[in-house]
Amino acid sequence: MLHTRLTLLFITSLLCCFATANESLTTVKLAAEDNWAPFARASGTGVSHSLINRAFSTVGVKVDSIVVPYSRAVVMAREGLVDGVFNLVKEQSTESEFIFGKQPLFSATASFYHKISTPVKAKDKWQLPPNTKVGIIRGYEYGDELKQLPNIKLITLSNHNQLINLLLLDRIDVAIMYDLVAKQYITQMGVSQEIEQIFTNHTGQVYLAFSKLNPHASKLAELLDRGLTTLKGDGSYQEIMASAGSLSRN
């Protein structure tokens, strides 16, 4: 009798664990940044939201997103407060901290921008003049080479509006912005005649990255990959990306 009870308890325990595991994969809780239009907006909309929501829906997973500043979103995922974080660029600094699927959401190119009336004289990022003040967004990834650039002083800001305003006020010499994002904010602020792109910084693979503290992170990454494959197969992916303009994609 005791053996039978122990066996039943063991089976019940396994079934409970199995049910919990399955339940945990029906919803994914994500942190989405609030200031990277057209990919992610403060309203909880954008290209990344569309891709992620629709990809997960094809595999029966509901997305629950919280919209916060990007640096906070990364910390939340790193500490396991959410299952994953939107729009993380895969590079040396992030590969060791997060779980990535096989498929990026998309590729995005970032460039240096300057004020046309006070131009920076350099052919590329390696030849920037000594003490060049470079504006960047706090927490963003800008490629592994950024730390290797000579002659620069990084100025970290909270959002693109601050970045562009400081460029206009000559408080920084150049700003690094992802090109489609830069176009969006420069147009919104009505300063397209005052700021221009000068040369490329890097091209990054942009992912939904998962927290290493989530025991189901690898499975969620696999499910997202499966969903993205479905979207690419039926043409939905191409339609969503077209709404953002021309992007390099896999």
Side-chain angles (χ1 to χ4, degrees), residues 18-133:
F18 180 74
T20 301
N22 278 346
E23 183 180 354
S24 67
L25 293 180
T26 60
T27 301
V28 59
K29 186 173 182 180
L30 305 174
E33 63 183 298
D34 62 353
N35 192 244
W36 210 49
F39 304 106
R41 302 183 180 91
S43 59
T45 61
V47 172
S48 296
H49 285 273
S50 297
L51 286 174
I52 291 166
N53 291 343
R54 291 184 65 174
F56 271 126
S57 71
T58 68
V59 291
V61 177
K62 180 182 177 181
V63 176
D64 179 14
S65 296
I66 178 173
V67 177
V68 295
Y70 182 72
S71 58
R72 189 184 307 169
V74 174
V75 170
M76 290 176 72
R78 186 183 292 122
E79 295 182 352
L81 300 176
V82 292
D83 300 321
V85 55
F86 274 48
N87 301 333
L88 201 75
V89 176
K90 189 176 184 180
E91 57 184 40
Q92 290 179 7
S93 64
T94 57
E95 278 191 274
S96 62
E97 295 186 307
F98 297 93
I99 299 295
F100 295 86
K102 294 180 179 179
Q103 297 194 53
L105 298 174
F106 47 82
S107 298
T109 298
S111 298
F112 283 81
Y113 291 77
H114 69 182
K115 184 179 174 182
I116 295 173
S117 61
T118 53
V120 171
K121 297 180 180 180
K123 293 182 179 180
D124 58 41
K125 62 184 180 180
W126 299 101
Q127 299 181 42
L128 288 166
N131 300 314
T132 298
K133 294 188 290 292

Side-chain angles (χ1 to χ4, degrees), residues 54-55 57-58 227-240:
R54 291 184 65 174
S57 71
T58 68
L228 288 172
T229 297
T230 299
L231 295 186
K232 290 175 181 179
D234 66 16
S236 300
Y237 178 90
Q238 291 80 0
E239 291 177 6
I240 294 170

Side-chain angles (χ1 to χ4, degrees), residues 180-224:
L180 285 181
V181 180
K183 181 179 179 181
Q184 182 98 1
Y185 286 95
I186 288 171
T187 301
Q188 285 179 359
M189 295 175 70
V191 294
S192 57
Q193 301 302 312
E194 299 175 64
I195 294 174
E196 68 177 358
Q197 175 188 354
I198 47 177
F199 41 73
T200 298
N201 178 59
H202 80 299
T203 297
Q205 301 295 308
V206 182
Y207 287 78
L208 172 61
F210 297 94
S211 174
K212 281 195 168 184
L213 296 182
N214 182 349
H216 306 298
S218 295
K219 181 61 178 178
L220 286 169
E222 179 186 325
L223 289 170
L224 179 64

